[in-house]
Amino acid sequence: MRATDIIIKKRGTFVTDKDGNRKLVGAQPNTKEEIKFMIKGCTDGSIPDYQISAWLMAIFFNGMTFEETGYLTDEMLHSGDVLNFHENGANKDIIYVDKHSTGGVGDKISLPLAAIVAACRLHDPMMSGRALGHTGGTLDKLDSIEGFRTALPSETFIKMVNEIGYSMIGQTEKIAPADKKLYALRDVTGTVESVPLITASILSKKIAEGSDGLVFDVKYGNGAFMKSTSDAEILASFLVNTSKAMGKKASALITNMNTPLGNKIGNFLEIEETIECLEGKGPEDVMTLTYALGAEMLVMAGLAPDTDKAVAMCKDAVQSGNALKKFLENTAAQGGDTKKLLDEVGKRRSQFKTELYASKDGYISIEAFKCGMAGVILGVGRSKTTDPVCADAGIILNARTGDFVHSGDLIMEIFGKNTECLEPAKQLLESAVTYTDSKPESNPLIFKKI
Ligand code: URA
């Protein structure tokens, strides 16, 4: 078997019709053996990155059948160990539940959510990703806490989930290694927005982490990988149906990502906003979505009889201070310096800074995608796999979509990895803001449950 033949089979070929139009035709599904060959070669390094990247691009353009997506998920899942919290009949009464977002801008929900549900006695083994395309990554955010380790041995991860209620790790050489490799390549080769690739990426790590149930936050809108609600519904169905076929409980909320979530975008800035959320001072959209997803998880785990009671439990975890305590307990257990972290809140900012002021009076709308791309320019995400991210880069939104501003009002504080990145990011952010005389219609934050 040769990687080149597998790529060409998935790619198809161009033909010119009688009107002179060139069309891509003849792409065929890859077999289970071919997918296994590619994933094995990707994991052990025997197939070079350029061939894997070409195959990813062919999948991006030609898609995969439901069957191929299942094979891809299965091969990626078994590229490493699959954790089992119930081995030899252990933890019989516990239903381990996790949530995963398909990616957004300012989407720090996993961070307050894991602490809140753990404070409600839920067990959440959470395996997350790094920044992907224009979207932020939970692992990059956690790395901004001094000492915090997201690469933990499986035994430590399992112990922490059982004792503290949650632990947050990334793909490792042992767990979901194929996703670790493919995720990094997709980030920089323009191959992120693909239903089969997203499905296999998410499910391979989510099933490998050992959860019994999964709640998906499937984003739609300009700041999401799925731009329309109908595409988001297709992705949600792929995720929920494939999870159920693999023996997991699963549900999904389809949620709005047309404008950034919360007031802060950036690695440390989103850790800071997480603490604000857990202190009961979080932005309304972040809290609403966190409670909705938390309620899904608690009901799925059998810890609450219905959504209303589950939301009340989540709110109580915040008001009582238990969720913040849980967050700090987990941070310390994963090596993070909690004292330094709390000292830095509200103070830790990049020295490279500029500001954006309103150019006229009006109601504003802020486009999520452009904010995410500005974040990449500032150093929140990567342009090449080898790029480091900057913990202190990001954007503070002093006004949000739907707010009325006057000309000259401060709309955004912009922090970069260096001086050079500030102006191009500011120009992009300027174009992300539109002004209208009447208040823009607001789409619901939660569109639908699947
Ligand atoms: N989240 C993932 O883990 N993978 C994707 O491909 C997209 C979002």
mmCIF file of all heavy atoms in Angstrom, residues 164-190:
data_model
loop_
_atom_site.group_PDB
_atom_site.id
_atom_site.type_symbol
_atom_site.label_atom_id
_atom_site.label_comp_id
_atom_site.label_asym_id
_atom_site.label_seq_id
_atom_site.Cartn_x
_atom_site.Cartn_y
_atom_site.Cartn_z
ATOM 1 N N ILE A 164 -11.007 14.432 42.881
ATOM 2 C CA ILE A 164 -11.375 15.860 42.857
ATOM 3 C C ILE A 164 -12.685 16.071 42.094
ATOM 4 O O ILE A 164 -13.423 17.004 42.358
ATOM 5 C CB ILE A 164 -10.236 16.693 42.213
ATOM 6 C CG1 ILE A 164 -8.978 16.570 43.062
ATOM 7 C CG2 ILE A 164 -10.617 18.155 42.058
ATOM 8 C CD1 ILE A 164 -7.752 17.216 42.446
ATOM 9 N N GLY A 165 -12.941 15.195 41.124
ATOM 10 C CA GLY A 165 -14.157 15.336 40.328
ATOM 11 C C GLY A 165 -13.834 15.686 38.884
ATOM 12 O O GLY A 165 -14.632 15.433 38.001
ATOM 13 N N TYR A 166 -12.670 16.305 38.651
ATOM 14 C CA TYR A 166 -12.286 16.531 37.257
ATOM 15 C C TYR A 166 -10.790 16.730 37.118
ATOM 16 O O TYR A 166 -10.088 17.025 38.103
ATOM 17 C CB TYR A 166 -13.043 17.707 36.646
ATOM 18 C CG TYR A 166 -12.560 19.112 36.982
ATOM 19 C CD1 TYR A 166 -11.845 19.856 36.049
ATOM 20 C CD2 TYR A 166 -12.852 19.716 38.197
ATOM 21 C CE1 TYR A 166 -11.445 21.164 36.313
ATOM 22 C CE2 TYR A 166 -12.453 21.020 38.478
ATOM 23 C CZ TYR A 166 -11.749 21.736 37.535
ATOM 24 O OH TYR A 166 -11.364 23.021 37.805
ATOM 25 N N SER A 167 -10.336 16.533 35.868
ATOM 26 C CA SER A 167 -8.953 16.802 35.523
ATOM 27 C C SER A 167 -8.968 17.205 34.055
ATOM 28 O O SER A 167 -9.849 16.775 33.298
ATOM 29 C CB SER A 167 -8.104 15.551 35.732
ATOM 30 O OG SER A 167 -6.769 15.806 35.368
ATOM 31 N N MET A 168 -8.028 18.073 33.664
ATOM 32 C CA MET A 168 -8.034 18.570 32.283
ATOM 33 C C MET A 168 -6.681 18.290 31.642
ATOM 34 O O MET A 168 -5.663 18.814 32.093
ATOM 35 C CB MET A 168 -8.303 20.081 32.272
ATOM 36 C CG MET A 168 -9.576 20.428 33.011
ATOM 37 S SD MET A 168 -9.935 22.177 32.971
ATOM 38 C CE MET A 168 -11.131 22.206 31.689
ATOM 39 N N ILE A 169 -6.701 17.439 30.614
ATOM 40 C CA ILE A 169 -5.441 17.093 29.958
ATOM 41 C C ILE A 169 -5.576 17.246 28.447
ATOM 42 O O ILE A 169 -6.669 17.451 27.928
ATOM 43 C CB ILE A 169 -4.994 15.643 30.288
ATOM 44 C CG1 ILE A 169 -6.087 14.642 29.882
ATOM 45 C CG2 ILE A 169 -4.635 15.503 31.747
ATOM 46 C CD1 ILE A 169 -5.595 13.201 29.887
ATOM 47 N N GLY A 170 -4.439 17.079 27.756
ATOM 48 C CA GLY A 170 -4.452 17.109 26.295
ATOM 49 C C GLY A 170 -4.153 15.723 25.764
ATOM 50 O O GLY A 170 -3.834 14.806 26.531
ATOM 51 N N GLN A 171 -4.242 15.605 24.421
ATOM 52 C CA GLN A 171 -3.864 14.350 23.799
ATOM 53 C C GLN A 171 -2.385 14.120 24.135
ATOM 54 O O GLN A 171 -1.621 15.080 24.206
ATOM 55 C CB GLN A 171 -4.010 14.420 22.271
ATOM 56 C CG GLN A 171 -5.302 15.021 21.769
ATOM 57 C CD GLN A 171 -5.137 16.504 21.459
ATOM 58 O OE1 GLN A 171 -4.537 17.250 22.237
ATOM 59 N NE2 GLN A 171 -5.688 16.941 20.347
ATOM 60 N N THR A 172 -2.010 12.854 24.341
ATOM 61 C CA THR A 172 -0.612 12.577 24.680
ATOM 62 C C THR A 172 -0.051 11.579 23.664
ATOM 63 O O THR A 172 -0.749 11.168 22.750
ATOM 64 C CB THR A 172 -0.510 11.951 26.085
ATOM 65 O OG1 THR A 172 -1.154 10.672 26.042
ATOM 66 C CG2 THR A 172 -1.162 12.804 27.147
ATOM 67 N N GLU A 173 1.217 11.189 23.892
ATOM 68 C CA GLU A 173 1.797 10.154 23.030
ATOM 69 C C GLU A 173 1.066 8.841 23.295
ATOM 70 O O GLU A 173 1.113 7.924 22.493
ATOM 71 C CB GLU A 173 3.300 9.964 23.312
ATOM 72 C CG GLU A 173 4.153 11.213 23.086
ATOM 73 C CD GLU A 173 3.892 11.905 21.751
ATOM 74 O OE1 GLU A 173 3.628 11.193 20.762
ATOM 75 O OE2 GLU A 173 3.910 13.153 21.700
ATOM 76 N N LYS A 174 0.377 8.754 24.458
ATOM 77 C CA LYS A 174 -0.282 7.490 24.823
ATOM 78 C C LYS A 174 -1.779 7.504 24.561
ATOM 79 O O LYS A 174 -2.366 6.475 24.286
ATOM 80 C CB LYS A 174 -0.059 7.229 26.315
ATOM 81 C CG LYS A 174 1.324 6.755 26.648
ATOM 82 C CD LYS A 174 1.239 5.890 27.864
ATOM 83 C CE LYS A 174 2.429 4.983 27.998
ATOM 84 N NZ LYS A 174 2.696 4.730 29.394
ATOM 85 N N ILE A 175 -2.420 8.686 24.747
ATOM 86 C CA ILE A 175 -3.871 8.752 24.556
ATOM 87 C C ILE A 175 -4.167 9.660 23.364
ATOM 88 O O ILE A 175 -3.753 10.814 23.339
ATOM 89 C CB ILE A 175 -4.584 9.304 25.814
ATOM 90 C CG1 ILE A 175 -4.124 8.562 27.054
ATOM 91 C CG2 ILE A 175 -6.096 9.175 25.681
ATOM 92 C CD1 ILE A 175 -4.674 9.140 28.334
ATOM 93 N N ALA A 176 -4.894 9.119 22.402
ATOM 94 C CA ALA A 176 -5.268 9.837 21.174
ATOM 95 C C ALA A 176 -4.071 10.505 20.479
ATOM 96 O O ALA A 176 -4.151 11.661 20.050
ATOM 97 C CB ALA A 176 -6.356 10.874 21.479
ATOM 98 N N PRO A 177 -2.938 9.794 20.309
ATOM 99 C CA PRO A 177 -1.781 10.427 19.660
ATOM 100 C C PRO A 177 -2.048 10.822 18.217
ATOM 101 O O PRO A 177 -1.472 11.793 17.723
ATOM 102 C CB PRO A 177 -0.673 9.370 19.758
ATOM 103 C CG PRO A 177 -1.381 8.084 19.949
ATOM 104 C CD PRO A 177 -2.643 8.387 20.692
ATOM 105 N N ALA A 178 -2.922 10.077 17.526
ATOM 106 C CA ALA A 178 -3.192 10.438 16.120
ATOM 107 C C ALA A 178 -3.879 11.800 16.066
ATOM 108 O O ALA A 178 -3.585 12.626 15.195
ATOM 109 C CB ALA A 178 -4.059 9.375 15.453
ATOM 110 N N ASP A 179 -4.785 12.062 17.015
ATOM 111 C CA ASP A 179 -5.444 13.372 17.017
ATOM 112 C C ASP A 179 -4.449 14.477 17.332
ATOM 113 O O ASP A 179 -4.515 15.574 16.774
ATOM 114 C CB ASP A 179 -6.622 13.411 18.005
ATOM 115 C CG ASP A 179 -7.377 14.731 17.904
ATOM 116 O OD1 ASP A 179 -7.752 15.110 16.778
ATOM 117 O OD2 ASP A 179 -7.554 15.417 18.923
ATOM 118 N N LYS A 180 -3.513 14.178 18.241
ATOM 119 C CA LYS A 180 -2.494 15.188 18.590
ATOM 120 C C LYS A 180 -1.783 15.655 17.305
ATOM 121 O O LYS A 180 -1.605 16.846 17.070
ATOM 122 C CB LYS A 180 -1.502 14.555 19.576
ATOM 123 C CG LYS A 180 -0.463 15.488 20.151
ATOM 124 C CD LYS A 180 0.361 14.710 21.178
ATOM 125 C CE LYS A 180 1.646 15.379 21.534
ATOM 126 N NZ LYS A 180 1.550 16.356 22.591
ATOM 127 N N LYS A 181 -1.416 14.694 16.480
ATOM 128 C CA LYS A 181 -0.674 15.001 15.252
ATOM 129 C C LYS A 181 -1.581 15.674 14.211
ATOM 130 O O LYS A 181 -1.243 16.716 13.641
ATOM 131 C CB LYS A 181 -0.140 13.661 14.733
ATOM 132 C CG LYS A 181 0.802 13.693 13.595
ATOM 133 C CD LYS A 181 2.197 14.058 14.033
ATOM 134 C CE LYS A 181 3.128 14.124 12.844
ATOM 135 N NZ LYS A 181 3.545 12.806 12.360
ATOM 136 N N LEU A 182 -2.744 15.054 13.956
ATOM 137 C CA LEU A 182 -3.628 15.583 12.910
ATOM 138 C C LEU A 182 -4.162 16.967 13.272
ATOM 139 O O LEU A 182 -4.294 17.846 12.417
ATOM 140 C CB LEU A 182 -4.813 14.627 12.677
ATOM 141 C CG LEU A 182 -4.474 13.286 12.033
ATOM 142 C CD1 LEU A 182 -5.731 12.425 11.915
ATOM 143 C CD2 LEU A 182 -3.872 13.482 10.649
ATOM 144 N N TYR A 183 -4.469 17.161 14.542
ATOM 145 C CA TYR A 183 -5.012 18.443 15.031
ATOM 146 C C TYR A 183 -4.015 19.560 14.729
ATOM 147 O O TYR A 183 -4.377 20.622 14.210
ATOM 148 C CB TYR A 183 -5.219 18.277 16.531
ATOM 149 C CG TYR A 183 -6.078 19.297 17.233
ATOM 150 C CD1 TYR A 183 -7.444 19.082 17.400
ATOM 151 C CD2 TYR A 183 -5.527 20.443 17.792
ATOM 152 C CE1 TYR A 183 -8.233 19.986 18.092
ATOM 153 C CE2 TYR A 183 -6.307 21.356 18.482
ATOM 154 C CZ TYR A 183 -7.660 21.117 18.635
ATOM 155 O OH TYR A 183 -8.438 22.009 19.316
ATOM 156 N N ALA A 184 -2.741 19.294 15.033
ATOM 157 C CA ALA A 184 -1.714 20.323 14.811
ATOM 158 C C ALA A 184 -1.546 20.602 13.318
ATOM 159 O O ALA A 184 -1.375 21.754 12.901
ATOM 160 C CB ALA A 184 -0.392 19.876 15.428
ATOM 161 N N LEU A 185 -1.622 19.565 12.484
ATOM 162 C CA LEU A 185 -1.480 19.772 11.036
ATOM 163 C C LEU A 185 -2.686 20.510 10.470
ATOM 164 O O LEU A 185 -2.555 21.415 9.644
ATOM 165 C CB LEU A 185 -1.334 18.421 10.312
ATOM 166 C CG LEU A 185 0.018 17.727 10.417
ATOM 167 C CD1 LEU A 185 -0.026 16.389 9.694
ATOM 168 C CD2 LEU A 185 1.131 18.598 9.824
ATOM 169 N N ARG A 186 -3.889 20.141 10.908
ATOM 170 C CA ARG A 186 -5.098 20.803 10.389
ATOM 171 C C ARG A 186 -5.105 22.289 10.749
ATOM 172 O O ARG A 186 -5.572 23.124 9.986
ATOM 173 C CB ARG A 186 -6.356 20.115 10.956
ATOM 174 C CG ARG A 186 -6.610 18.747 10.320
ATOM 175 C CD ARG A 186 -7.706 18.000 11.050
ATOM 176 N NE ARG A 186 -8.924 18.757 11.114
ATOM 177 C CZ ARG A 186 -9.726 18.816 12.194
ATOM 178 N NH1 ARG A 186 -9.433 18.157 13.292
ATOM 179 N NH2 ARG A 186 -10.822 19.537 12.161
ATOM 180 N N ASP A 187 -4.585 22.578 11.930
ATOM 181 C CA ASP A 187 -4.565 23.971 12.400
ATOM 182 C C ASP A 187 -3.876 24.896 11.400
ATOM 183 O O ASP A 187 -4.249 26.049 11.245
ATOM 184 C CB ASP A 187 -3.861 24.004 13.764
ATOM 185 C CG ASP A 187 -3.872 25.388 14.394
ATOM 186 O OD1 ASP A 187 -4.807 26.150 14.112
ATOM 187 O OD2 ASP A 187 -2.949 25.702 15.168
ATOM 188 N N VAL A 188 -2.860 24.370 10.703
ATOM 189 C CA VAL A 188 -2.040 25.247 9.853
ATOM 190 C C VAL A 188 -2.117 24.892 8.369
ATOM 191 O O VAL A 188 -1.338 25.402 7.572
ATOM 192 C CB VAL A 188 -0.565 25.226 10.336
ATOM 193 C CG1 VAL A 188 -0.445 25.895 11.692
ATOM 194 C CG2 VAL A 188 -0.009 23.813 10.388
ATOM 195 N N THR A 189 -3.029 23.994 7.999
ATOM 196 C CA THR A 189 -3.123 23.637 6.580
ATOM 197 C C THR A 189 -4.511 23.936 6.010
ATOM 198 O O THR A 189 -4.853 23.451 4.923
ATOM 199 C CB THR A 189 -2.798 22.135 6.341
ATOM 200 O OG1 THR A 189 -3.648 21.336 7.179
ATOM 201 C CG2 THR A 189 -1.351 21.819 6.636
ATOM 202 N N GLY A 190 -5.317 24.717 6.724
ATOM 203 C CA GLY A 190 -6.627 25.102 6.191
ATOM 204 C C GLY A 190 -7.570 23.922 6.049
ATOM 205 O O GLY A 190 -8.391 23.880 5.128
#
